[in-house]
Amino acid sequence: MSAKTSQISSRDEVPAEYKWDLSSLYKNDDAWEKDLKRYMQRTPEIDRFKGTLGESAEKLADCLAFMNQMNQLQERLGYYAHLKLSEDVSDSRNHDRFSRFMQAATAAEARASYQTPEIQAIPDDRIEQFLATPALEEFEIALRKILRYKPHVLSEAEERLLALQQEPNQTAQKSFGALTDADMEFGEVETPDGPQPLTHASFGSFMEHPDRDVRARAYEQFFSEFTAHKNTLANLYSGSVQLDIYQARVRNFDSARAARLFPDDVPESVYDNLVETVSSGLEQLHRYYDLRRRALGIERLELYDTKVPLVPELTVKHTYEEAVEVVVEALAPLGEEYCRVLHEGLLGGWVDRYENKGKRSGAFSAGSYDGWPYILMNFREDLLRDVFTLAHEGGHSMHSWYSTRNNPFQHYDYTIFEAEVASTFNEQLLAKHLMERSEDPRMQAYLVNKQIDDLVGTLFRQTMFAEYEATTHSSVEAGRPLTVDSLRSEYRRLLEKYFGPDVNLHELADIEGLRIPHFYRAFYVYKYATGISAAVSLARQVIHGNSVERDRYLEFLKSGGSRFPIESLRLAGVEMTESTPVEVAIEKFSSLIDRLETLLKELRQL
Ligand SMILES: [Zn+2]
């Protein structure tokens, strides 16, 4: 079976060997139903620990051990329900199963809501005594993670008021979604093949359209619609920023950013460092845009010329099985165990390989403590980038594989900050492997260009977003309100800075700042930029190093959620509090541009 045929199969028609085998979670739906029943029956037992947590270390340990069992069961139930829903969202049984799970989980969580405040209310010296006993040894990391929030927890009455605000607090984000996803209409774009609908999804494809006039029309039409709603959008964003600041202030944080970096224990200097280091390397980005301009033969580059591929996707075919072989060969520097396990998993039951009717689009990895680290793909043989996706998702899955085997349930799960390192690391190794295997300059140019675009999209662009978020928040914190004009001029300043003197900025260019959904989840996107920097540095160390570097990297995968990200990455061999990892990524970017220039000359595209 392959997706090259235009006929897309229904779920029932997909042969079993192409589907994931969910039996590591549950043998069948009935087994899941039985476990859900068990989970719901046990839920009322959560109450029996109420009021006892400060009595003794043993009582506290009893409660934590019970909750651990409940949470592990909940995770298993949830993953099965989630994966079944993802394989076919058109099947109402899958929706029904998932919503029954959600109800049960929410009920249990509500019942357990007394626990964190009760633990935090135990006096410091008493909890330290508790922690010194063997009874709590296995829960120390989990408890310390709860206790560090103590200075930011309020009185019971205040906490109640905050909890009651949860629903209304979502208004800005929800309204942004409703406005941009449902109410806005972008119409159709005239193309040489007739009019085509313009949507959020098709906008990306239009920006890659070979016809410059089509790109220009799509760009103007898209941003005109945002411009028509600029006052609403600016107010929604401003409300979201004010909410971030309010929440930080009531919880005694110095700033909104400090509050958002607190859960990962990332110092604000890491963030500032990222922005500063990237800022001082922007000359390289400007050099890239100039190369782009010359390769496209355009006098002045517009923003709608910055995504069109310089080298078209190659029509090299990889069957799924061939893709697995290539990925595993590329990851050889990670050693025998990593490669063997991944190879078996990818060809065994980990992966749901191809598209079918009702299946979620895109790709993801879903690793839980009890089951295999499953991967959803929509693999296409004719897309080389799908081989990269497989390497990426395989990186997440192996991270899960190592962390579940080396940690107890209570702290096996790693943060997003760390997750994207394990996945992009694999893409680095794959790019290098494919470069070495190929003699074809077109293939080489494609691979170099892909790596460049990845760095532009994750390192440079996300840092620009991070800088924008830092400015909007600190501006309000300093008493300067956000308006349509102030938001646009700040965004324009950043576009000028990041795109450089050779890119022309359209009059609508600064409206873009009002359309980024990520901004409604503040101080999050910087993790993409730090993630790829760490991955570039670590891949370089492992490729040029020996077993010492490799074992350090594997130790990082094994550490799971037992350490905070900066610390676990330090053990892997990369120091995120210094500018070196970001500098290494920029150096790599610079050498890729040189390489692309040479290759484009060879291909007579320059
Ligand atoms: Zn990922």
Side-chain angles (χ1 to χ4, degrees), residues 134-416:
L136 283 171
E137 205 182 318
E138 57 173 325
F139 294 108
E140 178 164 1
I141 293 171
L143 278 170
R144 296 248 180 240
K145 283 187 179 171
I146 294 174
L147 294 170
R148 65 190 283 274
Y149 280 88
K150 241 173 130 169
H152 307 290
V153 174
L154 309 178
S155 72
E156 212 179 313
E158 290 167 321
E159 286 292 341
R160 184 170 166 272
L161 292 180
L162 289 179
L164 288 170
Q165 282 177 10
Q166 258 174 27
E167 204 52 52
N169 281 351
Q170 291 167 22
T171 306
Q173 188 179 12
K174 277 190 179 163
S175 306
F176 173 83
L179 175 64
T180 56
D181 293 338
D183 293 348
M184 281 187 174
E185 281 178 25
F186 303 97
E188 290 182 326
V189 178
E190 285 303 325
T191 76
D193 308 320
Q196 307 274 344
L198 178 61
T199 62
H200 286 281
S202 71
F203 178 68
S205 323
F206 277 118
M207 288 305 99
E208 295 180 9
H209 201 285
D211 187 329
R212 196 174 189 216
D213 293 334
V214 172
R215 296 203 296 274
R217 274 199 291 278
Y219 182 90
E220 281 171 15
Q221 215 166 303
F222 192 68
F223 287 109
S224 297
E225 180 67 0
F226 282 93
T227 310
H229 298 277
K230 63 181 179 185
N231 293 298
T232 310
L233 287 163
N235 274 309
L236 289 172
Y237 181 59
S238 165
S240 173
V241 170
Q242 281 166 1
L243 179 64
D244 294 334
I245 294 169
Y246 164 75
Q247 287 177 329
R249 284 187 180 157
V250 296
R251 292 207 176 277
N252 312 314
F253 285 101
D254 290 341
S255 66
R257 190 174 68 171
R260 289 300 170 104
L261 300 190
F262 184 79
D264 286 339
D265 200 26
V266 171
E268 286 188 82
S269 59
V270 169
Y271 198 102
D272 289 328
N273 226 329
L274 170 74
V275 173
E276 257 170 56
T277 314
V278 168
S279 297
S280 54
L282 284 176
E283 217 178 284
Q284 300 308 323
L285 183 60
H286 303 164
R287 204 155 73 79
Y288 169 59
Y289 287 126
D290 182 57
L291 173 62
R292 223 174 207 286
R293 183 189 64 74
R294 287 183 283 131
L296 293 172
I298 298 173
E299 199 160 319
R300 200 147 161 73
L301 207 66
E302 293 282 344
L303 286 174
Y304 49 75
D305 299 319
T306 56
K307 296 268 171 64
V308 61
L310 294 183
V311 187
E313 175 102 20
L314 297 175
T315 45
V316 247
K317 291 215 158 135
H318 288 91
T319 62
Y320 176 80
E321 290 80 2
E322 285 163 354
V324 171
E325 297 307 322
V326 172
V327 167
V328 173
E329 277 167 30
L331 300 176
L334 289 174
E336 191 274 332
E337 183 185 60
Y338 189 107
C339 293
R340 177 176 40 83
V341 172
L342 182 62
H343 191 255
E344 282 171 20
L346 295 180
L347 294 178
W350 287 11
V351 185
D352 209 73
R353 300 181 186 177
Y354 310 105
E355 188 181 9
N356 61 246
K357 280 191 193 127
K359 184 169 164 178
R360 286 251 157 91
S361 60
F364 65 74
S365 160
S368 61
Y369 196 73
D370 291 323
W372 293 341
Y374 293 104
I375 295 173
L376 178 137
M377 289 287 297
N378 281 279
F379 186 83
R380 277 181 52 185
E381 299 185 343
D382 54 341
L383 293 182
L384 185 54
R385 65 166 176 266
D386 277 6
V387 184
F388 279 90
T389 307
L390 191 64
H392 179 105
E393 302 307 335
H396 287 310
S397 287
M398 287 307 295
H399 195 180
S400 299
W401 191 84
Y402 278 109
S403 67
T404 51
R405 269 153 194 77
N406 292 280
N407 296 283
F409 174 77
Q410 55 269 34
H411 52 73
Y412 89 89
D413 202 11
Y414 44 79
T415 64
I416 290 171

Side-chain angles (χ1 to χ4, degrees), residues 365 392-393 396 419-420 423-424 427 528:
S365 160
H392 179 105
E393 302 307 335
H396 287 310
E420 287 308 307
S423 54
T424 25
E427 290 191 65
Y528 292 114

